[in-house]
Amino acid sequence: MSTFDDNQDMRAQSDELLLTGHTVPDEPGLVDLVATMRRTVDAPAPRPTPALAMLLRDGIATTATVPVRAAATARARRRLGRLWRYVAGLGLAGKIALGAGIAFAGVTGAATVGAVPAVIQAPARAVVNGVEHLFAPRSNVPVVPVPTSSATPGAATDTPRTTSSGERPAFSGHGPASRPTPGETSPGILLEGPSSQTARPGEATPTLPAQAATQATENADSGSATVHGKSDVAPSATPSAAARSDKAPAHP
Amino acid sequence: MHAGPVIDDFDEVLARARAGSAEAFTLLYEDLVRPVAAYLRARGVRDVEDLTSEVFLAVFTSVGRFTGGQVPFRSWVFTIAHRRLVDHWRSGSRSVPQAPYEPQDDDRSTESAENQALDVLGEERALELLAMLTDDQREVLVLRIVADLTVEQVAEVVGKRPGAVKALQRRGLSTLRRILESEAVTL
């Protein structure tokens, strides 16, 4: 063992004595520093927070529910705050649409729920009856599938789903709300109405072969709204796009 | 051991704490609250009260998972305190404060005004000296001196090897020794 190792060992022993609060000769500064730091432990204990004080007073069994309730309340407040921030961040059109939706849902609910007093239910029902015809299907007009002739791939996949004599009113709508979910019978797409009577700029108005129209009518009567026979219905559609047509949402 | 009382029947107290006994919680709290608070204060935490309570809330709500005797329990509590301290700095995007200790922010009291002034000045100077070390050196020295942990316990707390802890404390003490010697020459 060299002199250097001896010095290292002695220094390590000296450090250990110093750190454990023993007096080490020739190092009064460090001894004072360590003593000062060790004295900080003798300072009065800080006050416990209310949550910890409750735990120390009641134990864990009775206090465990309090933080959970507080956390649930805090979560609910955060969600409400997020909702308000979302609504506040909407544009003017979004706020109008949201308000109209809420008003429509309120009126419809007041008209249909029997528990509502007649004073409220009667005018609400009158409003609903007033706008009901806008959504009702016209059964006297033959319903035919309208194939698309658009050359765009997205339009080529559109296959009309038709119904003519369904009891439920059919809505002519776009977007997720009008898409049938798997396992659910599609209510069909109403081809009548302003959107189907006027051709949009850039879109051709196709004419259907008689066979396709007949088959579509039969399918519609049997409850199936899908038109089979891709080559008859959508001549311009590619085979792969037509093969996907059963899953695609309808666009009039 | 200088840090507070030692619990005689620790195993029984720990068993009762696992069952949620308020009395056992109080015993464990009184045994360790002062060293934990001193550790947090020496590491530069201003709101020692809140963070100390957070540490013990974490200790008492997870004491059912702890197994061992009184010495490992002390290491375990300081491990939680160390992690809470790291989270505290991370959550506030704060680094270790390098500002000198502010005596007016300290509401602790001792038996006399004269002693109080001497102690505060001494602690202020000690914290200033510690602030000149690296974060790892300061952590190791505070855990060794204030928390009264061994090298092996400190290694567990900070997640380093005992050899690394020894090297850190040796370098930290050397730095402090050098500073004190230079000040003595200056004075």
Side-chain angles (χ1 to χ4, degrees), chain A residues 144-171:
Chain A
V144 293
V146 178
T148 178
S149 61
S150 173
T152 58
T157 60
D158 293 339
T159 300
R161 295 167 185 252
T162 62
T163 182
S164 59
S165 59
E167 294 297 325
R168 298 164 57 189
F171 291 89

Side-chain angles (χ1 to χ4, degrees), chain A residues 114-132:
Chain A
V116 178
V119 178
I120 300 173
Q121 198 172 19
R125 190 179 291 277
V127 171
V128 171
N129 287 337
V131 299
E132 195 176 19

Side-chain angles (χ1 to χ4, degrees), chain A residues 120-226:
Chain A
I120 300 173
Q121 198 172 19
R125 190 179 291 277
V127 171
V128 171
N129 287 337
V131 299
E132 195 176 19
H133 70 280
L134 296 175
F135 303 101
R138 298 179 185 178
S139 57
N140 56 347
V141 178
V143 178
V144 293
V146 178
T148 178
S149 61
S150 173
T152 58
T157 60
D158 293 339
T159 300
R161 295 167 185 252
T162 62
T163 182
S164 59
S165 59
E167 294 297 325
R168 298 164 57 189
F171 291 89
S172 175
H174 297 275
S178 64
R179 294 179 184 175
T181 56
E184 178 187 354
T185 304
S186 170
I189 302 299
L190 180 64
L191 298 177
E192 293 297 316
S195 62
S196 62
Q197 287 176 349
T198 57
R200 295 175 184 171
E203 288 185 359
T205 306
T207 56
L208 283 179
Q211 181 186 355
T214 307
Q215 190 174 0
T217 307
E218 289 171 359
N219 289 336
D221 289 339
S222 65
S224 171
T226 304

Side-chain angles (χ1 to χ4, degrees), chain A residues 156-157 159 230 237-248:
Chain A
T157 60
T159 300
K230 58 194 176 192
T238 59
S240 60
R244 295 195 306 266
S245 62
D246 286 345
K247 298 174 185 175

Side-chain angles (χ1 to χ4, degrees), chain A residues 11 15-16 19 27 29-30 33 36-38 40-43 45-49 52 55-60, chain B residues 2 20 22 26 29 33-34 37-38 49-50 53 60 108 122-123 126 130 141 144-146 169 173 176-177 180:
Chain A
R11 177 54 59 90
D15 287 351
E16 191 63 28
L19 292 172
E27 290 193 310
L30 272 180
L33 174 65
T36 301
M37 290 177 62
R38 292 171 74 86
T40 62
V41 177
D42 300 329
R47 288 183 301 272
T49 57
L52 181 61
L55 196 72
L56 294 172
R57 189 182 63 239
D58 302 331
I60 199 94
Chain B
H2 68 85
T26 304
Y29 177 75
V33 61
R34 290 183 184 209
E49 196 172 288
D50 287 346
S53 292
F60 294 146
R108 293 170 292 165
E123 186 176 344
L130 284 177
L141 287 183
R144 292 251 26 222
I145 297 170
V146 176
Q169 77 178 23
L173 285 174
L176 291 175
R177 198 175 283 122
L180 289 170

